[in-house]
Amino acid sequence: MDAQIAQLLDGKALAQKIQTELQQRIHELQGKIGRSPGLAVLMVGDNPASAAYVRNKERACEKVGIASFGQHFPSETTQTELEQVIHSLNRDERVDGILVQLPLPDHLDAVALLHQIDPNKDADGLHAVNLGRLVRGESGLRSCTPAGVMRLLAEYQINLKGKQAVVVGRSILVGKPMALMLLEADATVTIAHSRTHDLAAITRNADILIAAVGRSNLIAGDMVKPGAVVVDVGMNRITDDVGNSRLVGDVNFDEVKSVAAYLTPVPGGVGPMTVAILLQNTVWSYSQKSS
């Protein structure tokens, strides 16, 4: 008998479904609000990965009917110049979402810039006010990647109540908000990180295992509980001996697919969901204008 192969959690297909729903929602709201929703993505410097992400976001905006107010700045742009741009976007009635594309050049303080964004236009859901709303369980803009993971689990009707969830990684981008969202869904949550002793002993207890550290193939097959749900947030570019590069996650896909019940592919799992939630956040801010 063949070994059980995990069912793939298809983020790409779900992201397309969300985009279609957003298109409808924008169509309904446009008459009331009198304009399209607007998103401003600010990019500094010429990081090729960032440029690809920004293009991807702008294409997705165009597809659903969100106007792009993106701006691209040279690497030597100062903190003050960027703050002034953010302040003018905060005041711009056509802009519902503002996003600073990370990473930024070393001389810029990303957190300080983030705090200049109007919390109600914080499309990335990372402003301290929005993280505070998440902690308190209040409605508001949610961090895109963890919110995308939650939406993906919901789509496949994966029950989280009372389940043991382990989040590997404690970043403010993914790990911490992810743990809070799982807690909100009544899971029992453990956060593991680079200082954790015997990571495998902890991950083997997980009914739901979320890997978000940015280390390729960190989670091996023998670290996963049989029948677990494994979500791979990692996006790592690796190059083989002959110079071909490809994207892999934090999970060793080939090993884990015969142990887990559900598994996200990389690419095509969490990545498209992050962009879908970014658009959803922008439309949510936009929809507040009609109330």
Side-chain angles (χ1 to χ4, degrees), residues 8-291:
L8 294 184
L9 300 173
D10 187 346
K12 200 171 173 184
L14 177 55
Q16 281 166 349
K17 178 179 160 181
I18 291 170
Q19 287 183 5
T20 306
E21 288 166 4
L22 291 174
Q23 218 168 359
Q24 287 295 113
R25 180 93 178 107
I26 290 167
H27 189 68
E28 288 160 19
L29 287 168
Q30 230 161 352
K32 287 187 203 165
I33 299 175
R35 61 170 178 85
S36 307
L39 174 66
V41 179
L42 307 183
M43 184 180 147
V44 185
D46 43 18
N47 177 323
S50 291
Y53 287 138
V54 170
R55 269 199 307 277
N56 193 2
K57 286 166 185 171
E58 287 175 347
R59 270 202 299 268
C61 280
E62 199 180 333
K63 204 169 138 190
V64 301
I66 295 173
S68 280
F69 293 90
Q71 298 181 48
H72 187 176
F73 301 91
S75 302
E76 59 278 7
T77 305
T78 67
Q79 187 86 10
T80 309
E81 285 170 321
L82 287 170
E83 285 181 1
Q84 285 166 348
V85 170
I86 290 170
H87 294 162
S88 73
L89 290 169
N90 284 342
R91 293 189 300 271
D92 192 330
E93 303 259 308
R94 303 163 304 164
V95 175
D96 303 287
I98 303 168
L99 162 78
V100 176
Q101 182 66 43
L102 303 175
L104 289 170
D106 292 341
H107 69 282
L108 295 170
D109 180 344
V111 175
L113 283 177
L114 190 63
H115 283 142
Q116 300 300 318
I117 297 173
D118 175 346
N120 297 318
K121 291 190 176 190
D122 167 33
D124 239 350
L126 294 173
H127 191 287
V129 168
N130 288 318
L131 290 167
R133 287 170 179 159
L134 169 61
V135 171
R136 295 178 61 95
E138 295 170 3
S139 75
L141 295 161
R142 296 286 188 253
S143 312
C144 299
T145 300
V149 170
M150 295 303 285
R151 181 71 175 78
L152 194 53
L153 295 173
E155 183 71 10
Y156 285 84
Q157 296 174 342
I158 291 164
N159 180 25
L160 300 172
K161 279 190 195 321
K163 296 289 170 67
Q164 293 286 341
V166 173
V167 179
V168 186
R170 54 177 166 183
S171 76
I172 202 71
L173 275 168
V174 183
K176 285 176 184 166
M178 186 80 253
L180 287 164
M181 289 179 200
L182 288 162
L183 197 57
E184 198 173 32
D186 297 327
T188 299
V189 184
T190 302
I191 303 178
H193 45 79
S194 56
R195 300 284 182 273
T196 298
H197 293 294
D198 199 355
L199 179 63
I202 290 170
T203 58
R204 274 196 289 268
N205 276 327
D207 303 309
I208 317 285
L209 176 59
I210 317 267
V213 282
R215 277 183 53 197
S216 57
N217 299 325
L218 173 71
I219 306 294
D222 62 1
M223 294 169 72
V224 174
K225 178 181 186 175
V229 177
V230 181
V231 176
D232 191 349
V233 180
M235 292 272 275
N236 311 293
R237 190 165 287 286
I238 59 167
T239 308
D240 65 18
D241 302 337
V242 289
N244 297 321
S245 79
R246 63 190 176 98
L247 278 180
V248 299
D250 292 350
V251 174
N252 186 321
F253 185 86
D254 292 335
E255 287 183 14
V256 172
K257 71 180 181 191
S258 54
V259 184
Y262 292 93
L263 178 59
T264 57
V266 175
V270 176
M273 290 304 300
T274 300
V275 177
I277 302 296
L278 171 69
L279 303 181
Q280 188 176 291
N281 277 347
T282 305
V283 174
W284 186 84
S285 291
Y286 170 69
S287 71
Q288 303 305 299
K289 310 268 165 53
S290 72
S291 48

